Amino acid sequence: MQISPHVNLLNDLRSVLGDRARDGDFELGLYGKDGSVLQGQASIVCLPVDTAEVRQIVEICRHHDRPFLARGSGTGLAGGAVPVGDPVIIATAKMNQIIEVDLENRIAWVEPGVLNLDLTKELTPRGFHFAPDPSSQQVCSIGGNVANNSGGPHCLAYGVTSAHVAAIEVVLPDGSVTVLGDLSAEPPGYDLRGLFVGSEGTMGVATKVAVRLTPNPPAIRTLLLDFPDVRDGAATVSAIIAAGLIPAALEMMDKRAIEIVEAFVNAGYPTEADAVLLVELDGLPGGVEHGVEVVRSVAERHQVGNIRVAADNEERELLWKGRKNAFGAVARIKPDYYLHDTVVPRGKLVEVLDKVYKIADAYDLIAVNVFHAGDGNLHPILAYDSDEKGVLERVHAAGRAIITASIEAGGVLSGEHGIGLEKRDYMGMLFTAHDMATQDMVREAFDPQGFANPLKVLPSGSRCSDSFGQHVPDGAWV
Amino acid sequence: MSSLDAVPEEVHKFSAEVGTRDPVTVVGGRTQWNVGGAPDGSAREVVAPSGIWSHEPEEMTVRCGAGTPLTELSEQLAQHGQMVPFDMPPNATVGGVLSVGRSGLRRLRYGHIRDLVLQIRHIDSNGEIVTSGGPTVKNVSGYDLCRLMVGSLGKLGCLAEVTLRCLPMPETTRWLTGAADPFEVYARLYRPSSILWNGEQVWVCLEGVSSDVEAEAALLDLTEVEGPPLLPSGGRSSVEPKALKDLSADDGNWIAEIGVGIIHSDKPSTAQQISKTNESLMREIERRLDPNGRLNPGRQVVSL
Ligand SMILES: Cc1cc2nc3c(=O)[nH]c(=O)nc-3n(C[C@H](O)[C@H](O)[C@H](O)COP(=O)(O)OP(=O)(O)OC[C@H]3O[C@@H](n4cnc5c(N)ncnc54)[C@H](O)[C@@H]3O)c2cc1C
């Protein structure tokens, strides 16, 4: 009897992983999608425990001429971890050890499946933390942060993931293992580490990461400012930056966001306001107090209503709880949401926000805005009910209009969620064909045959080597 | 406005100058000319365009020709209380500093210069313009070729235009010196801008609002000085920050950047090893981006 290629491959994987190579309905359902609305098709899921196993999985994939896809917690919002082109999924959930905290070098070596917040919780008592703090930090993995070059509220002052990663151990698509970057100040040669960060799993699987540790600030002040008009809030954002102040975080929520968050967490957010800014200053006490004064005086010139300063850590955490639970709270108005991510120059926030509301109206959708205003990173949420007939078409059309408006304002496609599958075909809005072909040549230096996370980041036309088909399979939403 | 429309005339001119044939080498301020070795004599010298093309103080971003001297950049930014902390000789050019990819003395606080780069336009080995990154302060659209270009010594492309993130200038900058254990100093201070050590003496740079600088200075028993010491310029090596603990007087005349891992020394430095696997990845990138080896021939990023 002929054994099917699927069973053959699964048997080979099981000879290494035992029952940690799976093809049950439960796993396949779970790993067929990520945090986006896109749906792919998983056929085999592997749960390795160390680098050696990842390497063997990649070698077996090569042997069977099958691509692979690294997956962290699956919270990505651009479909980066959605399987297309029938990859074997390499989930890092069981590679979740903090290997070493090296305070002398201010570095920690961690496995990729370590959750972002778990790392910071481990470090905080020692006086340090990992600066990138995506709103999903309770559940997202460090490997995913590295692959997506993730940001978070506090990246305004501290920089995104790339600035906080010194070295990465990677299993390359040909099965070899290497370390990109090192702990020295200026690693020799080209910056392969910097290239790998943000490459969304298309250059190999990160199996260990050396992250930089940031000292905890001695003083922190958190302010909640409310505005009678969202435009004044947005204008305050650019005026704060223009005054030469870069707060640790500068987040904005519009009226609808305030209402749903307040109903959800009872943080005392002013529901009568049209917008609030959540501003955090940190550092040495003098700089923090100076920052508070700058924020106050700028806000007063922009019709601020109340300025609430968190009296203690408990109040501070309550204010942040509102911000960090905003996405979950959207479920109070509609069961589903589509979260967008574009960046515009800070001076264009008012103009683009205005357009976002108009676009949502035109497509009969509800727009909720909760975003990293300090770096112009918009996150319009389109809330909808997937049971409504034809609603997803409207959601996608509105999304496209929002992206177009952002780029027309001098912005970019993505500030932190990445391109993945979601925005792959929009890359031409920002880059010429030659720009993309150049990016692809660099990717190919790592993966000439396109084994690692196929069909992501670059539109298929720009790839010289798509061995796994030029088209996104039916059923994948793009 | 996508990258398609925004390319300035000067960049087009530079692309024509680089052209499609013959070896070329880009000349900046010649302040770090010999890093990676001198270029082949056969290479035609080209000069990247110069000039500040847009500075938007309220966005804290600046876009300029890669040939712009640092003095011109810092004068422009200082008018608005801003800076890009390159800390390199004033006649060095923006593109030159980035191509070499060495950070300045205040890296401890401000990070690697590569993290200040938002967008780069370069001329490739076919004389064509390539844009990577984006003009906004935050961006993850596409592969991060900007990181790759920094430190590439012009071997992957000739930098033509650069967009940088600016930082607010600190209200106060103060240098202190004296005898102290540099590692204790590092542990005691919150994000100092620089700590230098020559085995006997430390120099500390504190920046921020005056009250903070005073309070931090009071934690140390040091005296104020004009600025940093003159650095030995014979060699520059890079190690793990904690390896600086092993330095001794026997190592000659040196000054180390504590917390960073750079050693400035009067002895020539030995090249750091690159693993075989990384070397072949690097060679692959070179081969793909410059198949005929016309960009800065003779210079080596991947040492022989
Ligand atoms: C409610 C919510 C809030 C969010 N807030 C933020 C935010 O504030 N800022 C932000 O930046 N993002 C945010 N995100 C997006 C997402 O959480 C981040 O992109 C996160 O870093 C993804 O991590 P993950 O472990 O879930 O990765 P996954 O979704 O599993 O994977 C993401 C990508 O990384 C690749 N990958 C994963 N692990 C590896 C590895 N070991 N080696 C190589 N490639 C790998 C995958 O192939 C995929 O392309 C949010 C998401 C949600 C749902």
Side-chain angles (χ1 to χ4, degrees):
Chain A
M1 201 182 84
Q2 186 87 28
I3 303 178
S4 77
H6 173 84
V7 172
N8 242 327
L9 171 60
L10 189 63
N11 285 343
D12 281 0
L13 291 166
R14 285 200 170 139
S15 72
V16 174
L17 302 165
D19 70 350
R20 288 180 286 109
R22 298 178 185 167
D23 69 345
D25 289 344
F26 173 72
E27 272 87 7
L28 300 191
L30 193 64
Y31 291 103
K33 59 196 301 316
D34 64 0
S36 69
V37 303
L38 308 170
Q39 176 74 53
Q41 181 64 53
S43 61
I44 298 180
V45 177
C46 299
L47 291 155
V49 296
D50 59 20
T51 306
E53 286 190 353
V54 172
R55 173 184 200 159
Q56 290 176 78
I57 296 166
V58 168
E59 276 165 359
I60 292 169
C61 287
R62 298 293 303 225
H63 182 73
H64 289 261
D65 204 26
R66 277 283 286 275
F68 60 85
L69 159 63
R71 176 184 174 107
S73 305
T75 67
L77 291 165
V82 170
V84 288
D86 207 14
V88 168
I89 292 171
I90 305 176
T92 60
K94 292 190 187 295
M95 297 174 72
N96 59 358
Q97 300 301 309
I98 296 173
I99 303 162
E100 185 196 0
V101 177
D102 174 358
L103 290 184
E104 281 185 294
N105 277 326
R106 298 198 179 179
I107 286 283
W109 276 104
V110 304
E111 290 186 326
V114 168
L115 303 185
N116 177 299
L117 192 60
D118 287 352
L119 175 59
T120 280
K121 277 188 184 150
E122 173 73 26
L123 297 169
T124 305
R126 308 194 203 192
F128 293 89
H129 64 285
F130 179 55
D133 60 339
S135 309
S136 52
Q137 72 180 142
Q138 293 193 356
V139 284
C140 67
S141 72
I142 299 294
N145 297 167
V146 168
N148 281 355
N149 195 9
S150 298
H154 290 82
C155 292
L156 175 59
Y158 293 96
V160 294
T161 301
S162 187
H164 303 281
V165 170
I168 315 164
E169 181 192 81
V170 177
V171 174
L172 294 169
D174 69 0
S176 54
V177 181
T178 190
V179 178
L180 309 178
D182 61 37
L183 304 191
S184 79
E186 286 165 357
Y190 299 105
D191 185 20
L192 302 180
R193 170 214 63 91
L195 192 59
F196 187 90
V197 177
S199 65
E200 305 193 35
T202 64
M203 290 180 171
V205 184
T207 46
K208 284 185 193 120
V209 185
V211 299
R212 295 188 192 283
L213 311 185
T214 303
N216 297 339
I220 304 178
R221 292 279 232 149
T222 309
L223 288 74
L224 189 74
L225 290 71
D226 61 58
F227 294 88
D229 188 326
V230 66
R231 289 173 194 83
D232 290 319
T236 302
V237 171
S238 31
I240 288 174
I241 304 287
L245 181 71
I246 301 188
L250 177 44
E251 302 280 308
M252 184 160 167
M253 296 165 77
D254 69 2
K255 185 169 187 61
R256 227 177 246 125
I258 300 167
E259 282 167 4
I260 56 174
V261 160
E262 186 50 24
F264 193 59
V265 296
N266 288 312
Y269 277 37
T271 45
E272 68 291 349
D274 200 39
V276 295
L277 290 181
L278 185 61
V279 190
E280 191 155 281
L281 288 314
D282 73 9
L284 293 164
V288 170
E289 288 319 315
H290 167 76
V292 170
E293 283 323 304
V294 172
V295 171
R296 267 185 201 283
S297 71
V298 168
E300 272 156 14
R301 273 184 273 124
H302 289 89
Q303 288 75 46
V304 69
N306 292 304
I307 300 181
R308 173 174 162 195
V309 183
D312 51 25
N313 203 36
E314 204 177 320
E315 191 176 356
R316 169 183 178 239
E317 273 170 15
L318 191 62
L319 293 180
W320 274 111
K321 193 173 163 201
R323 165 63 183 90
K324 295 213 169 178
N325 284 289
F327 302 127
V330 172
R332 300 185 75 90
I333 48 169
K334 290 277 179 183
D336 306 288
Y337 68 82
Y338 194 125
L339 174 52
H340 278 277
D341 167 45
T342 65
V343 188
V344 299
R346 299 177 258 231
K348 295 283 173 65
L349 277 175
V350 178
E351 177 190 320
V352 179
L353 264 182
D354 227 35
K355 284 194 182 158
V356 168
Y357 292 122
K358 289 197 178 115
I359 291 166
D361 278 350
Y363 288 95
D364 198 16
L365 296 163
I366 299 177
V368 182
N369 285 287
V370 186
F371 61 102
H372 312 307
D375 33 33
N377 191 180
L378 287 169
H379 277 343
I381 302 169
L382 300 176
Y384 65 97
D385 180 348
S386 53
D387 284 346
E388 261 180 63
K389 210 167 165 281
V391 71
L392 264 178
E393 280 74 15
R394 279 188 281 131
V395 169
H396 286 293
R400 191 184 167 90
I402 290 171
I403 292 168
T404 308
S406 302
I407 295 208
E408 279 170 1
V412 296
L413 285 174
S414 173
E416 52 181 28
H417 296 167
I419 301 300
L421 207 50
E422 182 202 25
K423 289 179 175 158
R424 192 191 65 168
D425 294 330
Y426 296 153
M427 282 284 280
M429 292 167 91
L430 204 59
F431 295 106
T432 65
H434 185 63
D435 295 340
M436 292 188 280
T438 306
Q439 292 185 22
D440 203 28
M441 279 198 276
V442 172
R443 180 199 59 79
E444 282 192 333
F446 283 73
D447 188 18
Q449 287 106 0
F451 274 94
N453 202 2
L455 299 159
K456 304 290 167 65
V457 186
L458 293 170
S460 29
S462 59
R463 307 193 88 154
C464 318
S465 60
D466 256 328
S467 4
F468 301 103
Q470 297 289 317
H471 303 288
V472 175
D474 291 343
W477 270 105
V478 252
Chain B
M1 183 170 60
S2 82
S3 70
L4 310 175
D5 339 301
V7 180
E9 192 44 44
E10 291 90 331
V11 173
H12 285 288
K13 273 201 201 130
F14 184 47
S15 119
E17 191 187 343
V18 171
T20 57
R21 335 164 30 136
D22 317 325
V24 288
T25 182
V26 192
V27 183
R30 291 188 192 270
T31 60
Q32 302 186 81
W33 185 246
N34 289 319
V35 177
D40 279 0
S42 64
R44 177 162 53 88
E45 292 191 350
V46 293
V47 177
S50 166
I52 312 267
W53 295 336
S54 66
H55 174 216
E56 296 180 52
E58 61 291 346
E59 295 298 330
M60 301 205 83
T61 60
V62 63
R63 189 166 61 89
C64 65
T68 309
L70 295 190
T71 29
E72 190 177 334
L73 179 69
S74 34
E75 273 165 25
Q76 165 67 29
L77 299 181
Q79 288 173 21
H80 300 271
Q82 298 180 4
M83 63 172 187
V84 178
F86 280 136
D87 296 342
M88 286 285 161
N91 59 325
T93 61
V94 172
V97 171
L98 292 174
S99 293
V100 173
R102 291 177 168 179
S103 289
L105 273 189
R106 292 180 294 168
R107 167 158 170 197
L108 187 58
R109 182 179 182 111
Y110 299 111
H112 197 286
I113 54 171
R114 118 178 335 121
D115 294 323
L116 298 167
V117 179
L118 302 175
Q119 179 177 278
I120 287 180
R121 287 205 165 97
H122 73 261
I123 313 301
D124 69 12
S125 61
N126 292 316
E128 288 191 59
I129 301 166
V130 178
T131 305
S132 38
T136 53
V137 289
K138 196 175 184 189
N139 176 30
V140 292
S141 313
Y143 291 95
D144 198 347
L145 301 194
C146 294
R147 295 281 167 298
L148 185 65
M149 298 309 286
V150 175
S152 67
L153 292 177
K155 290 190 69 73
L156 305 179
C158 305
L159 303 196
E161 180 198 303
V162 179
T163 306
L164 301 165
R165 194 157 58 89
C166 315
L167 300 177
M169 260 156 93
E171 185 191 298
T172 308
T173 297
R174 212 199 266 184
W175 280 90
L176 306 167
T177 192
D181 178 337
F183 303 98
E184 260 169 39
V185 168
Y186 186 31
R188 196 168 306 162
L189 299 175
Y190 176 73
R191 302 186 70 210
S193 294
S194 187
I195 303 174
L196 306 176
W197 181 51
N198 70 357
E200 290 166 356
Q201 192 179 348
V202 296
W203 293 261
V204 178
C205 179
L206 300 174
E207 293 187 307
V209 301
S210 332
S211 62
D212 288 338
V213 169
E214 266 165 43
E216 293 274 286
L219 299 173
L220 310 169
D221 188 19
L222 300 175
T223 47
E224 189 152 353
V225 276
E226 275 290 293
L230 201 65
L231 300 172
S233 58
R236 174 187 174 106
S237 42
S238 146
V239 298
E240 289 183 25
K242 72 177 170 199
L244 298 176
K245 290 196 164 163
D246 305 330
L247 282 169
S248 77
D250 303 339
D251 297 311
N253 176 25
W254 51 265
I255 292 182
E257 298 181 28
I258 302 300
V260 175
I262 296 288
I263 308 164
H264 306 267
S265 154
D266 57 8
K267 287 192 202 153
S269 42
T270 47
Q272 283 168 275
Q273 284 296 315
I274 299 179
S275 72
K276 276 270 161 304
T277 310
N278 287 356
E279 178 177 339
S280 70
L281 286 171
M282 291 176 191
R283 294 280 181 222
E284 272 302 301
I285 293 173
E286 285 182 342
R287 194 179 62 75
R288 282 160 201 276
L289 296 188
D290 184 19
N292 301 319
R294 60 179 296 252
L295 303 176
N296 277 289
R299 284 227 162 85
Q300 288 298 331
V301 173
V302 186
S303 322
L304 292 171

